[in-house]
Amino acid sequence: MGGVTDREADSAAPFDLASMRKQYRAEGLSETELAATPVEQFARWFKQAATDGGLFEPNAMVVSTADGEGRPSSRTVLLKHFDERGFVFYTNYDSRKARELDENPRISLLFPWHPMARQVVVTGVARRTGRDETAAYFRTRPHGSQLGAWASAQSTVVAGRRALDAAYAELDARYPEGEQVPVPPHWGGFRVAPEAVEFWQGRENRLHDRLRYVAEGDGGWRVERLSP
């Protein structure tokens, strides 16, 4: 069986990936600057990301789950709320991520704030939000997004775009603008209760600052520095 020639490899990867790198900032993150809790620290960084971070969607996060056999999957989801109880996002409960969380509630959230040379990684356990909380959020969604939650059987195979558009058009005729759309029973939130939260700040010479909060048994947090 023939191998890939250098010419074929060059055509498949037109960039020299090995030499693609950026030099990060000189100023870093120290233990003395950290807030008392990871959620407070996240709020500080999120405010900076949302105001002057140059980010399109600062609340976009990579959600990683694994099924009962440990096979991982990842996708980008929008964070919709956070407080000391955890980080909340919404989804179809029949989706792949929701089915995997039903089997294995352990989860990872990654906020890739590349323009700021920052990352935040949250690891913890996901639990479904209550229906009252879900309904309250659903009412804040635009009319089209409410219909979309009904139209899409998320993560299932669909015959084509035409079938998806037809399902939406049928719902739009049934619930025109201004008419209340019922909350789908198969749709709702997950709250991720953090067990560890890492704040990653890019530094010069790849000597990045990595400070991680780890939950203690008494409800407090331990801060530890990780080698880059």
Side-chain angles (χ1 to χ4, degrees):
M1 182 175 180
V4 177
T5 67
D6 290 342
R7 181 171 297 178
E8 289 172 332
D10 288 343
S11 64
F15 302 103
D16 182 4
L17 299 181
S19 66
M20 294 178 69
R21 59 176 57 86
K22 295 287 186 181
Q23 185 68 282
Y24 296 137
R25 64 182 67 186
E27 65 272 18
L29 179 66
S30 69
E31 288 83 346
T32 58
E33 297 172 334
L34 291 179
T37 72
V39 172
E40 291 177 31
Q41 182 63 35
F42 180 83
R44 291 180 185 177
W45 271 23
F46 186 82
K47 182 179 180 180
Q48 293 173 1
T51 55
D52 57 8
L55 297 164
F56 172 61
E57 286 184 318
N59 61 326
M61 59 185 182
V62 178
V63 174
S64 297
T65 56
D67 63 18
E69 297 182 13
R71 291 171 296 197
S73 63
S74 298
R75 75 288 292 161
T76 301
V77 178
L78 296 179
L79 176 71
K80 288 302 178 181
H81 180 73
F82 68 90
D83 57 26
E84 292 295 339
R85 295 181 297 162
F87 301 80
V88 178
F89 65 90
Y90 292 86
T91 188
N92 186 312
Y93 283 147
D94 294 325
S95 66
R96 178 177 179 176
K97 59 181 158 313
R99 286 185 281 108
E100 290 184 347
L101 288 171
D102 285 342
E103 293 183 59
N104 174 11
R106 298 203 170 277
I107 189 171
S108 174
L109 313 177
L110 166 65
F111 294 86
W113 295 334
H114 301 308
M116 305 177 70
R118 287 178 174 176
Q119 301 179 71
V120 180
V121 183
V122 179
T123 53
V125 175
R127 303 292 185 208
R128 294 189 182 192
T129 59
R131 293 309 294 174
D132 288 346
E133 185 175 356
T134 289
Y137 169 70
F138 188 79
R139 298 288 172 230
T140 70
R141 288 165 62 93
H143 181 74
S145 296
Q146 292 183 10
L147 296 180
W150 279 101
S152 172
Q154 196 174 93
S155 299
T156 62
V157 176
V158 63
R161 180 73 200 195
R162 185 174 297 178
L164 188 61
D165 290 341
Y168 181 90
E170 180 181 341
L171 287 160
D172 194 27
R174 188 186 311 171
Y175 302 107
E177 187 77 43
E179 186 167 334
Q180 181 169 295
V181 179
V183 182
H186 57 271
W187 188 93
F190 280 99
R191 172 173 282 102
V192 178
E195 295 178 340
V197 184
E198 178 186 334
F199 292 86
W200 184 100
Q201 174 66 71
R203 297 292 303 276
E204 290 181 326
N205 304 316
R206 295 299 184 262
L207 295 178
H208 313 306
D209 285 326
R210 298 177 60 189
L211 297 181
R212 180 171 64 185
Y213 292 80
V214 180
E216 300 275 44
D218 60 0
W221 297 92
R222 180 180 77 255
V223 174
E224 53 193 18
R225 177 175 287 271
L226 303 179
S227 176

